[in-house]
C-alpha cells in the first residue's frame, strides 16, 4: 500500500480486548503504519466499505454474547439486506478472546469471521482464538501540557453536571443523582456489609423497568489519589491540556479540557485494578533504574509468566501497589504516558432493586461491599462498592454519576402468567423490583424462593415480603442455610416444592389453585 492504513476495532467487556487492541496499535505505529484503534460501537460502521485493512479484536461474554460496546455493530453487520460484496475491498483478521472452560468458546469471533467472509471480505489468516485458560519504546498517545495557572472557569463542574443534556443520561453524560439513604441491611455480627442505597432521580428523564440495570461511575479513594500523586511527583491541584499525537485519536471524552490532575487520578485512571502483562512491558521501557527495569522485563517476558502470576495476579496486587514496589520507575513516568499505562475506570453495573410504580422518582440498589484477603497484608476491596459504602448523605449532599441500561431479565406482561423467582442473597435484588411492579399492576402468581445464611442477619426485605404474603400477593419460600446442622439451600426447597413448581410450569396455574402447597418453611 502506498500509504499504509490499519484500523483496529475492538469489542471489550472488561478491558482485555481494548488492552490487546492498544498493544496492536503501538506495534503497528512502531512499524510505521498509520493505525487507528476504536471501540466497535464508536466507529461509523457504514465506513467499513472503505477500509482496506482491519483487525477485529472481540471478547465473548455470557453464553456467547457480544460485549456491550459492540452490540450496535453486531446488529448492523448481521442485517440480511447487506450485499454479499459489501466488504470486497477489505482485508481483515479476527482475534477472539475467550475462555475454553465455557461451552461457547470464542463464539463471537468465530461468527464474526464467517459473516465478514459472507460479505466479501478477504481473510488474511484463519480466525485466531485466544484462550484465558492457556498458561501461557513507543510514543505516548497524547502530549500533556501542564498549565502554570488554574483556569478561571470551572470546566470540570460544567462537564460533570450535564447542564444541557442531550437525550437520556449516558456514560458520556451521566446524571448526578443525589444519594438519599445508605443503610446497612445485614446484622452487625454478619461477615458481610450489604447496603440498601437509594437515589433521587427526579428531573433526570431516567425510566426503567424490572430487570434493568443501573451503571455507576466510581472514584478512587482520596487517600489512594494522594499516595499516587506523591509517588509520581504530581501536584493534584495542577491543571493540564491534552493533545492527541496522531490524527484520528480522540481525547478521552470523560475528561474536561483543561483538567486537574486530581480529577484525572480520582475519576479516570483505574489505579486500583490489577495490571496486565502489557503494563509491566511498557513500564520497563520507561524505567531509568537498571535493577527495576530488569525485573519489569522479566515479569513481562514469556518465561516470567508464572512469577508474574505469583507476584500480581493471584494476590490481586493493584497498579498502585506495583508502582510502590518500583519507586524509581514510578517517579520517572512522564504524565503523558499515564494514558498508555493505566486503563480508565469502568462503570459498574447493579441490578435495580425497586420499581418506579412503588417508589416514584427513586432508584434503589442492593450492594454487597467487596472485601477479601489474599496473602498481601492489605485486604482487597472492591472499588465501586467500597466507594459507595463510604458515602454518607447524612453528613452533607452526595451525588453519584449514573445512568440506566436495559437488562437481560424479562417478565411476562399478562396478568395471569405466574413467575417463579429464585434469588439467593443479593441476587434477589432484581426480583424485588419485579414483584413490586407486578403487585402494582395486579399481576398474580408471584412465587419467590429466597435463601440466605441466617434469618436475623441477612434476610433482606423480610418485613416487605411478609406483608405481601399476608395480602396474598406473594408466595414466599425461604432457606436459611446456617440455622441447622445440615445446610439447606434454595435447591432443596425447590425439590420439596416440586408439585407446586411443576404445576406452575406445566399448567401455568394461578396461586389460588395451589396455595395449600405454598407454606413457608
Amino acid at each position: 500500500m502506498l500509504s499504509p492504513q490499519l484500523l483496529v476495532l475492538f469489542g471489550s467487556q472488561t478491558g482485555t480486548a481494548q488492552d490487546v487492541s492498544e498493544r496492536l496499535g503501538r506495534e503497528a505505529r512502531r512499524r510505521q503504519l498509520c493505525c487507528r484503534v476504536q471501540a466497535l460501537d464508536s466507529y461509523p460502521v457504514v465506513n467499513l466499505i472503505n477500509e482496506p485493512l482491519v483487525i477485529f479484536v472481540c471478547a465473548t461474554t455470557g453464553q456467547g454474547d457480544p460485549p456491550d460496546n459492540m452490540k450496535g455493530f453486531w446488529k448492523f453487520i448481521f442485517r440480511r439486506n447487506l450485499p454479499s460484496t459489501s466488504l470486497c475491498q477489505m482485508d481483515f483478521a479476527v482475534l477472539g478472546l475467550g475462555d475454553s472452560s465455557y461451552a461457547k468458546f470464542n463464539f463471537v469471533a468465530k461468527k464474526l469471521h464467517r459473516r465478514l467472509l459472507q460479505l466479501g471480505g478477504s481473510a488474511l489468516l484463519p480466525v485466531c482464538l485466544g484462550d484465558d485458560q492457556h498458561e501461557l519504546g513507543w510514543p505516548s498517545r497524547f502530549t500533556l501540557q501542564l498549565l502554570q495557572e488554574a483556569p478561571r472557569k470551572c470546566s470540570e463542574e460544567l462537564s460533570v453536571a450535564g447542564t444541557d443534556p442531550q437525550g437520556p443520561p449516558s456514560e458520556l453524560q451521566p446524571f448526578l443523582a443525589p444519594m438519599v439513604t445508605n443503610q446497612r441491611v445485614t446484622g452487625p455480627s454478619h461477615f458481610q456489609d450489604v447496603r440498601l442505597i437509594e437515589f433521587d432521580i427526579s428531573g433526570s428523564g431516567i425510566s426503567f423497568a424490572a430487570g434493568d440495570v443501573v451503571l455507576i461511575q466510581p472514584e478512587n479513594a482520596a487517600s489512594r489519589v494522594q499516595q499516587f500523586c506523591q509517588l509520581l511527583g504530581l501536584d493534584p491541584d495542577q491543571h493540564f491540556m491534552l493533545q492527541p499525537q496522531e490524527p484520528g485519536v480522540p481525547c478521552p471524552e470523560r475528561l474536561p479540557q483543561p483538567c486537574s490532575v486530581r480529577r484525572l487520578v480520582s475519576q479516570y485512571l483505574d489505579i486500583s485494578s490489577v495490571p496486565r502483562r502489557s503494563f509491566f512491558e511498557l513500564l520497563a521501557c520507561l524505567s531509568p533504574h537498571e535493577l527495576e527495569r530488569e525485573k519489569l522485563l522479566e515479569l513481562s517476558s514469556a518465561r516470567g509468566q508464572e512469577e508474574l502470576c505469583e507476584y500480581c495476579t493471584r494476590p490481586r496486587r493493584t497498579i498502585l501497589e506495583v508502582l510502590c514496589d518500583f519507586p524509581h520507575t514510578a517517579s520517572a513516568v512522564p504524565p503523558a504516558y499515564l494514558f498508555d499505562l493505566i486503563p480508565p475506570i469502568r462503570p459498574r453495573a447493579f441490578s435495580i432493586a425497586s420499581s418506579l410504580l412503588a417508589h416514584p422518582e427513586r432508584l434503589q440498589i442492593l450492594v454487597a461491599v467487596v472485601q477479601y484477603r489474599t496473602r498481601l497484608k492489605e485486604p482487597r476491596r472492591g472499588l465501586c462498592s467500597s466507594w459507595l459504602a463510604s458515602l454518607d448523605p447524612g453528613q452533607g449532599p452526595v451525588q453519584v454519576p449514573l445512568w440506566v441500561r436495559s437488562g437481560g431479565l424479562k417478565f411476562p406482561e399478562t396478568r395471569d402468567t405466574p413467575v417463579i423467582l429464585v434469588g439467593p442473597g443479593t441476587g434477589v435484588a432484581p426480583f424485588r423490583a419485579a414483584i413490586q411492579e407486578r403487585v402494582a399492576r395486579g399481576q398474580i402468581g408471584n412465587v419467590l424462593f429466597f435463601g440466605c445464611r441466617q434469618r436475623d442477619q441477612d434476610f433482606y426485605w423480610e418485613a416487605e415480603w411478609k406483608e405481601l404474603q399476608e395480602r396474598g400477593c406473594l408466595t414466599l419460600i425461604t432457606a436459611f442455610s446456617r440455622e441447622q446442622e445440615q445446610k439447606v439451600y434454595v435447591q432443596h426447597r425447590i425439590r420439596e416444592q416440586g408439585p407446586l413448581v411443576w404445576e406452575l410450569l406445566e399448567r401455568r396455574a394461578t396461586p389460588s389453585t395451589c396455595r395449600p402447597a405454598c407454606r413457608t418453611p
Side-chain angles (χ1 to χ4, degrees):
M1 293 185 296
L2 296 177
S3 177
Q5 298 278 339
L6 172 64
L7 174 64
V8 180
L9 296 173
F10 64 86
S12 185
Q13 189 72 19
T14 64
T16 304
Q18 180 177 356
D19 181 65
V20 170
S21 299
E22 289 173 352
R23 289 179 66 186
L24 288 172
R26 286 191 291 270
E27 289 292 333
R29 289 188 282 270
R30 190 182 299 171
R31 289 163 171 75
Q32 307 305 311
L33 277 168
C34 181
C35 181
R36 292 166 292 149
V37 179
Q38 285 185 247
L40 277 158
D41 276 1
S42 71
Y43 175 79
V45 66
V46 293
N47 293 347
L48 210 56
I49 60 173
N50 301 316
E51 298 291 350
L53 182 60
V54 185
I55 298 176
F56 297 86
V57 184
C58 308
T60 296
T61 67
Q63 299 300 315
D65 300 319
D68 291 334
N69 68 351
M70 70 175 287
K71 286 185 176 178
F73 167 87
W74 193 253
K75 184 177 181 180
F76 181 93
I77 205 71
F78 283 95
R79 286 184 178 178
R80 294 185 177 181
N81 61 350
L82 294 180
S84 60
T85 57
S86 298
L87 304 178
C88 62
Q89 298 187 40
M90 185 183 78
D91 292 329
F92 73 90
V94 176
L95 169 60
L97 302 181
D99 188 326
S100 59
S101 65
Y102 285 81
K104 294 196 174 182
F105 170 59
N106 267 316
F107 179 82
V108 169
K110 295 173 184 175
K111 189 171 182 179
L112 176 61
H113 186 268
R114 290 194 298 267
R115 182 56 174 164
L116 296 174
L117 289 174
Q118 291 173 354
L119 296 175
S122 178
L124 296 172
L125 68 167
V127 59
C128 303
L129 304 179
D131 184 6
D132 194 52
Q133 293 293 317
H134 198 276
E135 58 191 12
L136 284 182
W138 81 105
S140 63
R141 283 184 292 162
F142 307 101
T143 58
L144 187 149
Q145 178 188 2
L146 293 172
L147 305 180
Q148 298 303 315
E149 296 181 359
R152 292 182 179 180
K153 293 184 178 180
C154 192
S155 61
E156 296 185 16
E157 292 184 4
L158 293 176
S159 67
V160 172
T163 53
D164 187 21
Q166 301 294 322
S170 63
E171 182 172 4
L172 296 181
Q173 199 164 40
F175 175 67
L176 290 180
M179 182 182 286
V180 179
T181 58
N182 187 349
Q183 174 190 3
R184 176 170 174 144
V185 291
T186 44
S189 62
H190 192 60
F191 77 100
Q192 191 170 43
D193 181 1
V194 177
R195 302 296 181 102
L196 176 60
I197 300 176
E198 184 176 49
F199 300 101
D200 181 357
I201 57 170
S202 55
S204 66
I206 289 177
S207 64
F208 55 86
D212 289 351
V213 297
V214 61
L215 290 102
I216 293 176
Q217 189 67 46
E219 296 181 12
N220 289 308
S223 59
R224 289 190 169 89
V225 173
Q226 183 179 7
Q227 184 183 11
F228 180 88
C229 290
Q230 289 177 347
L231 192 62
L232 273 71
L234 300 172
D235 178 2
D237 295 320
Q238 192 164 19
H239 286 70
F240 63 88
M241 295 287 291
L242 278 183
Q243 184 68 35
Q245 289 270 40
E246 297 181 9
V249 178
C251 288
E253 295 181 277
R254 279 172 31 207
L255 290 180
Q257 293 268 35
C259 179
S260 69
V261 172
R262 188 186 310 278
R263 169 77 179 273
L264 170 67
V265 182
S266 65
Q267 298 184 28
Y268 187 80
L269 298 178
D270 197 356
I271 60 176
S272 296
S273 64
V274 178
R276 296 182 170 90
R277 174 179 170 181
S278 60
F279 172 84
F280 295 89
E281 179 184 9
L282 304 183
L283 196 59
C285 297
L286 300 172
S287 178
H289 192 272
E290 184 177 357
L291 290 178
E292 290 186 2
R293 184 170 62 255
E294 288 179 0
K295 189 64 177 177
L296 289 165
L297 288 171
E298 182 181 352
L299 291 170
S300 62
S301 67
R303 65 179 180 276
Q305 289 312 286
E306 182 57 36
E307 185 178 358
L308 176 62
C309 188
E310 284 295 323
Y311 168 70
C312 189
T313 309
R314 285 199 180 101
R316 311 299 294 170
R317 197 181 300 268
T318 68
I319 285 177
L320 178 57
E321 290 170 328
V322 171
L323 291 172
C324 288
D325 287 345
F326 295 87
H328 298 92
T329 303
S331 63
V333 173
Y337 284 82
L338 293 175
F339 296 90
D340 297 279
L341 275 172
I342 305 175
I345 297 174
R346 292 185 164 273
R348 269 56 168 183
F350 297 89
S351 295
I352 298 175
S354 60
S355 167
L356 286 172
L357 297 178
H359 301 275
E361 299 185 338
R362 292 290 190 269
L363 187 154
Q364 297 179 355
I365 56 175
L366 192 66
V367 180
V369 181
V370 177
Q371 180 173 319
Y372 59 94
R373 286 198 168 274
T374 65
R375 59 181 174 81
L376 300 180
K377 180 180 179 181
E378 182 72 19
R380 307 294 89 188
R381 292 182 172 87
L383 173 61
C384 189
S385 61
S386 297
W387 175 65
L388 287 172
S390 71
L391 303 177
D392 184 2
Q395 299 297 315
V398 174
Q399 292 181 315
V400 172
L402 56 78
W403 62 100
V404 166
R405 184 183 72 201
S406 296
L409 290 174
K410 302 298 180 184
F411 300 93
E413 297 182 0
T414 53
R415 183 180 185 275
D416 295 336
T417 302
V419 293
I420 302 172
L421 310 172
V422 184
T426 55
V428 77
F431 298 146
R432 186 213 188 204
I435 291 171
Q436 287 184 346
E437 207 158 274
R438 287 173 61 83
V439 169
R441 291 174 175 170
Q443 292 174 293
I444 57 178
N446 306 306
V447 179
L448 173 64
F449 288 86
F450 174 75
C452 63
R453 290 190 169 215
Q454 295 173 309
R455 186 189 305 265
D456 62 346
Q457 295 294 320
D458 53 343
F459 191 177
Y460 310 124
W461 298 302
E462 177 183 9
E464 183 174 325
W465 301 136
K466 290 185 174 180
E467 190 268 336
L468 290 175
Q469 191 175 33
E470 290 172 0
R471 289 166 49 192
C473 300
L474 174 68
T475 298
L476 175 66
I477 303 166
T478 56
F480 304 110
S481 62
R482 302 301 195 273
E483 289 196 347
Q484 57 280 316
E485 185 176 343
Q486 187 174 3
K487 293 183 176 65
V488 175
Y489 298 108
V490 287
Q491 58 263 37
H492 299 119
R493 298 304 190 209
I494 294 173
R495 187 178 295 113
E496 291 173 3
Q497 298 291 334
L500 166 64
V501 173
W502 179 249
E503 181 80 5
L504 295 174
L505 290 175
E506 205 269 337
R507 297 189 182 178
R508 305 170 69 86
T510 61
S512 60
T513 64
C514 54
R515 188 179 298 271
C518 305
R519 291 189 291 271
T520 303

